[in-house]
Amino acid sequence: MNFAILVLLPFLGALMPPLVERFSSNRTLLACGAALLPTAALLMLIKPAQQVFAGQTLLSAVDWIPSLGLSLAFRLDGLALLFAILVLGIGLLVILYARYYLSPKEKAGRFYAYLLLFMGAMLGVVTSDNLLLMVLFWELTSLSSFLLIGFWNHQTGARKGARMAMTVTGMGGLALLAGVLLIGHVVGSYSLGQVLISGAQIQASPLYPLILCLVLLGVFTKSAQFPFHFWLPHAMAAPTPVSAYLHSATMVKAGVFLLARLYPALSGTDLWFDIVATAGMATLLWGAAVALFQHDLKGLLAYSTISHLGLITLLFGLNSQLAAVAAVFHIINHATFKASLFMAAGIIDHETGTRDMRRINGLWKYMPYTAVLAMVASAAMAGVPLLNGFLSKEMFFAETLESSHLGALSWLLPLGATLGGVFSVAYSARFIHDVFFNGEPVNLPKYPPHEPPRYMKVPVEILVALCVAVGVFPAFTVAGLLAVAAQATLGGALPEYHLSIWHGFNAPLVMSFVALFGGIFIYSQRRRLFDLYARLPAMDARLVFEGRIQALGRLASAITGRLQNGSLQSYAAWLLTLVAVVLLTQLPNLPGWHGETAMLPLDGVSLLCAGMLVAAALLTTLLHRHRMTSIMCLSVVGLMVSLLFVRFSAPDLALTQLSVEVVTILLLMLAMYFMPVRTRAESSVIRVVRDLLLAGVIGAGVAVMAFLVMTGELSSISPFFLEHSKPGGGGTNVVNVILVDFRGFDTFGEITVLGIAAMGIYALLRDMRLRSARYDALGRPWAKDAHPLVLVTISRPLLPLALLIAVYIFLRGHNLPGGGFVAGLITSVALLLQYVASGVGWVHERMPGDYHPVVALGVLLAGLTGVGSWVFGFPFLTTTHDHFHLPWIGDFELASAMLFDTGVFLTVVGATLLMLANLGKLSLLDDKKEGA
Amino acid sequence: MSHWIIAPILIPALAGMLLLLEVREWHRLRRITGLLSASALLAVAVLLWEQAADGTITVYQLGNWAAPFGIVLVLDRLTALMLLLTAVLAFPALLYACRGDDRKGANFHGLFQFQLMGINGAFLTGDLFNLFVFFEVLLIASYGLALHGRGPARVKAGLHYVALNLVGSALFLIGLGLIYGTTGTLNMADFAVKAQAVTGMDQALLKVAVLLLWAVFGLKAALFPLYFWLPATYANATAPVAALFAIMTKVGLYAIVRVYALAFADGPLAGLGQQGLWALALTTLALAGIGVLGARRLGTLVAYLVIMSVGTLLAALTFGQLSAAGPALYYLVHSTLICGALFLLADLVARGRGEAGDRFVAGPVIPAGGVLAGLYFMAAIAVVGLPPLSGFIGKVALLKAVPVPLYWVLLLLAGLCGLIGMSRAGSSMFWRTTGPGEGVRPGRQRLLALLVLLAVVPALTLWAEPAMQAAGQVAGQLAQPQLYIQAVLGGQS
Amino acid sequence: MLASAISLTFGLLTVAWLLNLYRLVRGPTLPDRVLALDTMYINSIALIVVYGIQVDSKLYFEAAMLIALIGFVSTVAVAKYMTRGDIIE
Amino acid sequence: MKALFERCFPSPSLSLLLWLTWLLLNGFSPGHAVLGLVLAVLLPLGTRPFWPNVPGIRNLPRLGGFILVVLWDILVANLSVARKVLGPLGDMRPAFVEMPLSLEDDFAIALLTSTVSLTPGTVSADVSMDRKTLLIHALDVDDEQALIEEIRQRYERPLKEIFQC
Amino acid sequence: MDAVIEWLVAICMVTGGVFALIGSIGLARLPDFFTRLHGPTKATTLGVGGTIAASLLFFSWQARQLQLHEVLIILFLFITAPVSAHMLAKAAMHRGLKRVKRTRGEPWQQ
Amino acid sequence: MELLVAVIIGVLVSTGVYLCLRARTFPVVMGLTLLSYGVNVFLFAMGGLKIDKVAVVGLNSDPTDPLPQALVLTAIVIGFAMTAFLVVLALRSQAEHDTDHVDGNDSGEGGR
Ligand code: NA
Ligand code: NA
C-alpha cells in the first residue's frame, strides 16, 4: 500500500466528527471518531517506517498539474518520518486531552474537524516531495490554524490573534512561494530530490540571496523568529489543546522543519550563517528573557517556545553538521516537553479557572500528581540532567563553542547560549515554584482545585515518560529515529556523535551548571526584575499590530477616497486627461499638417453656417447656467449640423438629425419641468482653467485629426457597396442598403439598444416621485388652459397627414433618402403632438398606452426577417428582392429588407413613445394643478 | 450551413422580446422564459466550445456578405471560452435573482437577457463597428440593471457609470472613425492586414486611434485611472446583477486582447501602447489592493477584487507577445466566477445580518451562518489565491509566466491585501456577533445558485491540468493571428 | 443670371439668420428666443429650397418638408412648457 | 353603396387631401393613384378616433374662393407689413383686440385663428376658454372695430358657410 | 435656358429672400415681443413661399412637366406656423411680457 | 471647406468636453449632446467631403462615401437612446437626492 495515503487520512478524518455528531452526542464517541483515522495512519506508518529505518527513501507521485510542475509527490525519509510521528502521535494525545478539556457546551465536532484539517496540512508539509506542493500544505496550515486559534471567536483576543497569526504567516507563505518559484526557476524542477542535490547550483546563482531571504521569511514568520515572533503569544487565545499541538510539535515547527528540509540546498554559506544564526540567537535571548516576566501561564510557555525555536534556528544557522543533528534532536525533545507543559497548563487552567500565576500558588497541595508531571517536564525544559532537554542542550552548548564563524568574536555564541540557558532555567523555575509552591492560591475562580479526570492526565503522563526515557536511555529510545532523521536532513553521511548522559566534565557541562545556578539566582531576584520590567514601556504586540493594520486600512481608505471622491467630474477628468495625454504625445509626431488632396473651395454660406454653429455651440456653453437659453442655442447647433449634412451630400443624415432634434427637445422640456431652470456658478477658477485646457487640447486634437483624414487619400471598402447596392441589395440609396442589408446586423443591434433604453427608462420611471414646480420660473401660477383649442384642433388632423408622409418616407427609403427610422420618428412626433395637445388621458382613450409590445414586435420582426433567410439556407439577415409587375399599375420592386425596415419603424415608434409618454405621465402622479 | 454560432445572440434577443410581450404580472412565466433562455445559452455555449476546441475557426457571414464588406461573426477558441464563461455565470445569477430580486423593479428579465445578448455579441463579432454596437447594447442593458431596485446610492453610482460610458462611447466612435479613415475598413481581420501596410500620416493617426481604443476598452475593463466608477456601481447593484457584471470588465479585456493579438502582436506597429497598458495594469493592481484594504463593506471589497483581477490579468496579458495568455485565461475564468459568487455571498450575508448588512461591523448572528461562513472561507481562499484552490494555481501559473520582479511583488502584496481584507471581513461578519437578530435564512434556491458558481473552484482545482491545457490552447490560437485572418478573409488577404 | 440670383438670395437669407441669432442671444425673454429659433428654422427651409435649385437636385426637398411639418412641435413644446410647465399632462 | 362609401371615407375631405398629397409627393402614375387611394382610405380609418369632430365641407366652391382671398390678403398685406417693419417704428399703433366669435365649431374657430395669424398685421393671441372671444394682436391698427368687421366679413362668414356651423 | 422662366425663377427667389429678411429684420427691430411676433410669422410665409414658387418653376421647367410637390412645404407651413405663433403668444401673455406703452387693449391671463 | 468642418468638429468637441466636466446633470446632458454632434460630424468626415454627390446609385458618377453616413445614422440613434436614458436618470437622481448635483464625497461605501 502506498504510504502517501496517510496524508489523506486526516483530511478524511476531518469529516468524521461532524458525521459522528449527527448520530450521537456522546463526547467520548466523538473523540474516538476523531482519533480513528489518525490512529490508522499511525499504524499504517509502521511498515514504511521499517523501510525508512532500513535506509530507504520512499517516494510516491501522482501528476496533478504537470504544466506547472506541481505534482502530488510525497517522500518519506527519516526527517519526514520523524515529523509524521510527532504530528500524528502528539495529535492523538491532543485529541484525547481535548475530550476532557472542552466543555460539553462547546462545538467539539467542529474543533476536531479543524484539528484534523490542520493535522493533514502539517503531514502534507512534512511529506511533500514537491516544493510547490509543500507551499500548498504550508499555507493550509496557516488557514487551519486560523480556524483553530479563532475557535473561541466570541473573544476579541481570539479573533485578533487568529487574524494576526494568519496575516503574518500568510505573508511569510507568499514570500516562501516566491522563493520556491525562484528555486524552481534555478533548478528547473520543484522536485525535492532534484533540489536537494542542486545546492551548489542554487548557491552559485545570482538569485541565491533573494531566494534565501524569501525562504527564510517564510521560515521566520512560521517559526516565530525575531522580529516576526509577536504573533505567537497572541495565538495563545486558542483553546489549550490547540496551543499544545500547534506550538510544540507542529505549526511553529514547520518553519524549522523547512530549515532542515532545505538544509542541503541552502545552507553552508556565510549569508546563511549571518541571517539564520543571528535571527536564532536574537530569538533565543529575547524569548527566554521575556518568558520570565509573563504572569500568564501560557504566555510564559509561549515565549519559552519562541526561545527554543530560536535555539533550534541558531543550531541550523551554525553551518555545522553536528549542530544540525542537535537541532533535529532538540526538535524532538522540545515537542515532547512543551506539549506536556501546555497540557499541564491547560489542566491547571481547567481546574482553577485562571492562568494568572499571581493567583495560582501552592497547587502542590491540591493536585500533587499533576504537579509532579509538570515539574518533570519543566525540568526537561530547563535542561536538567537525566531528562531529554539536557541532552540536546548539552549538544547545543558544545556546538556554540565549536563555531568559529565570528572569528575573534566567536565567544559571543557560547555567551549568548549560556545566557539563554540562564533565563530558560529561571522561567522554568518560576513555572514550578510560582505555581505549585509560593504560598496559598489567591482568589481562584474555582476553589478548591482538584486533580483532573483520569484520562486527561494520560497524554501528559505519556509525554513526560518519554522525556524521562529519552533523557535516561537515549540510545535505546530516540537514537535510531534521530539518526535517520538527521541523515535525511544532512542528505549524506552522519557525523560522529554520541547520545549519552555523561560526556565527562567539559565546557558544555560548565555552561549547563552556570545556566542552572544563574537561572536560580535570577529567579530569586524576580521581585526586583518584575518591578523593573513593569516600569518598561508596555508594548502589546497585538495592539501595535492591530494599530498598524488599522492605520493601513485608514490610509488605504484615505487614498481610495482621494481617488474615488464620488465626483463624476473628477472621474471624467481622469478619462479625458488620459485622452489629452494620448493626443499631446502622439500628435506632435505627425509627419505634417496637411494631407495630399486639395481642399474644396470655401463659400460664404458655408462659412456663415459654420460661424453660426460655432457661435451657438459657444453660447450653449457660456449660457449653460441659463438652462432654457442654453437649450435654444443647442437647437441652433442641431439645425446647423443638419444643414451641414445637407451641404455635404448626406440627406439621410439631415432627415434623421432633424427629426431626432424635435424628439430631443420634447424630452428636454419634459425633464425641465422637474429641474431647476438655473444653475449657480460653482466651479472654482482652477477647475475652469483645467477644464478649458482639457477641452481645448481634445477639441484641437480631434479637429487636427479630422482635417488630416479629410485631406488624405482613402481607399476603402465603400466602392463595393456602391457597386453592389443595386444588384445585390435591390436598392439605389446606398446608405439605406448598407443599413438594412450590408450592415443590417448593426441596425438590428441599434434598434435593440433603442428598445432596451426604452425598457430601462420605463423601469426607472416606475414609482418615481418628483416634486413638480407649482409656479413657473417667474413665480406665477401656471396657466389654466391645458389644452389650447387651436393646438388641439390643428394637431388632430395633422396625424393622418404626418402618417402619410411617414409612409412616403418609409417606402422611398430603399431607393432615395428616407427609411424606417425617419418614418418612425415622424410617426412618433405626430403621436407625441397628440399627447402634448390633448393629454395622456385623451390619447389613451383612443389607443393602447403600453408600448412594450410595439417595441418587441419591431425587434422581433427585424429578427424574424433575419431568421427567415435560414429557410433558404442562407445566413442570418440575408435579403432577397425581386421585380413584380401588376397590370395597369406597373413595375415595382419588393425587397425583404423592407420588412426589416418595418421592424426598425415599429421599434422607433414604440421606443420613443415608451420613453416620452411615460415621462409625460410622471406629472400625473403629482396632484398639483387645479382645473387641468 | 450551421447557424448555431449566432444562437448566443439570438436566443437572449428572442427571450428579451418575448419578455417584453408578456403580460405584466405573470412573474412565473417571466422567470421560466429567462431561465429557459439561460439554460439554452449554456447548452449552446458548450456546443460551441466543443466546436471550437479542435482549433476550427468558424466564420458566419451575416446577410451572406463576405468579409470585409459585410459583418461577420467569428468563433475561435477564445470566443467560445468567453461565451461559455458568460453562460456559466449567467445561469446561477439569474437563478438567484428569481427568488425575488427580479421583482424589485420593472423589466428585470428583459434587461438581463439583452445584457447577455450584448456580451455575447461583443465576444462573437468580427467587426469593429459592430463591436461598438454590441458594447452599446450591453451598456444600455447594464445601465438598466445597475439601477434595478431602489436607493439613492445606486442612482448616484449609476449616473456616474452612465455619464462616463457615454463619454467613452464618444471616444470609441472617434477611434473607429480614425480607423476607417486610415485603413478604409472595419472588419477586424481586414484591419489587421491593412494596419500592417499603413505608413506616414495614416500610421500616425492610426496610432492615436488605437490608443483611444485602448482607453475606451480600459474604461470598460476598469483600468486605472478609469475604474473609479466601478466600486460604487457594483457594490450598490442588486446582487445577481453585480454577479453578472463580473464578466463585464472581461469584455473590455477581451476587446483589448482581441485587437492586440490580431493587429499589434507583430509588424510595424507591434506592441502599440503595450508599455502604457502594462504600467496602468500594475497601477490598477496596486490601487485595487489598497482599495481592498480600505473597504468597509463586503460588496465594495469584492468590487475591488474584481478590479484587482483586471490588473492582474491585463498585466499578464500585456507582458511579452501574449506569452502569459494561457495562465491569464485560466485565472480569468477563475476570478470571474469567484467574484460573481462572492457578490451573491455578500448579499446572503447582508440578508442574514439585517441592518448591519455587509458592513464590517458587529452584527447579529446569521441564521445558518455556519454554511455561509464555510462557503465564505472557501471563496476567500480561492479569491485571495491561497492554496489549495484554483486561485493559488492560477497565481502560481501567472508568477511563472511573468517573471518580472515588480509584477511578483505587486501580485503577492495584492494577495496579502486580499488576505488581510477578507480575513477582517470574515471575522467581523461571522465572528463578531451581538446576539440573535432578525436576519433572513438563506433560501435553498439562492444557496443553490451560489453553490453552482462556487463549484467551479473545486472543479478548476481538480482538473487544473486539463483546464490549463485548454487555456494554453486558446492562447496558442490567439498567438497565431494569421489563422483568424485566413478564416475570415479566405483567399483575399 | 440665375446663379447671381441664387447668391443674392443666399446673402439675404444668411443676413436674416444673423438677425435671428441676434434676437436669440439678445432675448430678452424666453419667448423672444423661441421665436427667433422658430424663425431660423423657417428661414432654413427657404435656404434648403434655394440650395436645391442651385445644385439642381430634389434630394433635399424632404429635409425642407420635414422642417415644415414637424419643426413647429419643438416650438409648441417650449411654449407649452412656459405656460403649463408640464407639456404632456 | 353609399354606406360603403361612408364607411370607407368617413371624412371624404381628409381622404381627398391625403390622396392629393400622395400624388403631389410621388407624381401621378396609375400605381401611385391606387396606392394613394389605399392610403387615403386606411389612414383616416386608422386614425379615426383622433379627429372626432371635424365637420364636413358643405360648400366646396366657397372654400376655393376663401383660399384665394386668403392668399391674396397674404400677398398684399405682406407688402404693408414690410413697409411698417422697415419704416419708423414710432408711428405704429399696436393693439390687443377682442373679437366676439359667432362660429361654434372648434375646427372652424381654429381655422379662423390660423387665417388671422397667417394674414399679415394680425396674430391670434388667444381664444377664450368658453370659445366665445378671439383675442387678436394687431401690429398697426386705427380702428379696432373696423378690423373686427373686416375679419368677420372676409374670413368668419365664409368659414361659417363652408362648414355650415 | 428659357430666359423668361429664368427671370421668373430669379424674381420669385429673390422676393422670397427679401421677405424672409424683412421678417427677420422685424424680429430684430420691433420693440416688443408681440410686435416681433408679426415679423416672422408673416414675412416668412411669403419668404418661403417665394422660394418655393421659384423651385416649382425651376424644376417643372427642367423636367418639362408640372412638378408641384414643393407646394406641400408651404401647405404644411400654413398649417403649422399659426399654431406656433399662437402658442408663443399665449406663453408671452402668460408671462406678462412688457409691451410698448402705446399698445391698446389688454392681453389676457387665463 | 475641410478646414471649416475641422474647426466645427473641434469647437463641438471642446464645448462638449467642457460641459461634461460641470457639476450638474443638466450641463452634462448638454455637453454629451454637443460631444455627440461633434463625434457624428467627425465620423461623417472620415469618408471625405463631397458636395452634391449623394450616394444614390445612378445619380452621380463619383458619389460620396456612404459607409460613414450609415455609421453616423447608427450613432445618432444610439446617441439619442443614451441621451434619453441619461436625462431620465438625471431626473431619478433629482428625485432621490433632491438635487441635480453630480459631485459628492462618498467613496462607493453608500449603504443599502
Ligand atoms: Na503563583
Ligand atoms: Na406631463
Side-chain angles (χ1 to χ4, degrees), chain A residues 565-567 569 600 603 621 627 649 656-657 661 682-683 691 695 699 703 718 732 734 739 750 764 771 821, chain F residues 1-2 6 14-15 21-22 24 37 50 52-53 55-57 65 69 73-74 77 92 98 100 102-104:
Chain A
N565 50 8
S567 155
Q569 277 54 55
L600 290 173
D603 67 280
T621 309
R627 295 186 169 182
S649 324
T656 313
Q657 182 68 58
E661 198 65 29
E682 46 198 357
S683 298
D691 297 348
S718 283
T732 52
V734 188
L739 281 174
E750 161 206 327
L764 268 183
R771 259 184 303 153
F821 189 77
Chain F
M1 209 67 121
E2 279 81 359
S14 288
T15 49
L21 292 168
R22 298 304 95 207
R24 300 275 181 158
Y37 285 148
K50 287 194 177 158
D52 195 33
K53 300 281 186 193
V56 169
V57 176
D65 190 342
Q69 293 193 18
L73 266 174
T74 305
V77 180
R92 180 97 213 184
D98 215 20
D100 62 344
V102 288
D103 265 355

Side-chain angles (χ1 to χ4, degrees), chain B residues 368-434:
Chain B
V371 178
L372 289 184
L375 294 175
Y376 176 84
F377 192 63
M378 181 183 124
I381 291 173
V383 80
V384 167
L386 283 182
L389 300 178
S390 45
F392 174 74
I393 296 166
K395 206 165 260 190
V396 169
L398 284 176
L399 288 174
K400 282 189 70 173
V402 186
V404 178
L406 185 59
Y407 184 67
W408 279 38
V409 170
L410 286 178
L411 194 57
L412 292 173
L413 279 182
L416 185 66
C417 291
L419 179 69
I420 294 173
M422 289 302 275
S423 63
R424 183 171 73 148
S427 119
S428 53
M429 289 188 310
F430 295 107
W431 284 354
R432 244 172 91 195
T433 48
T434 54

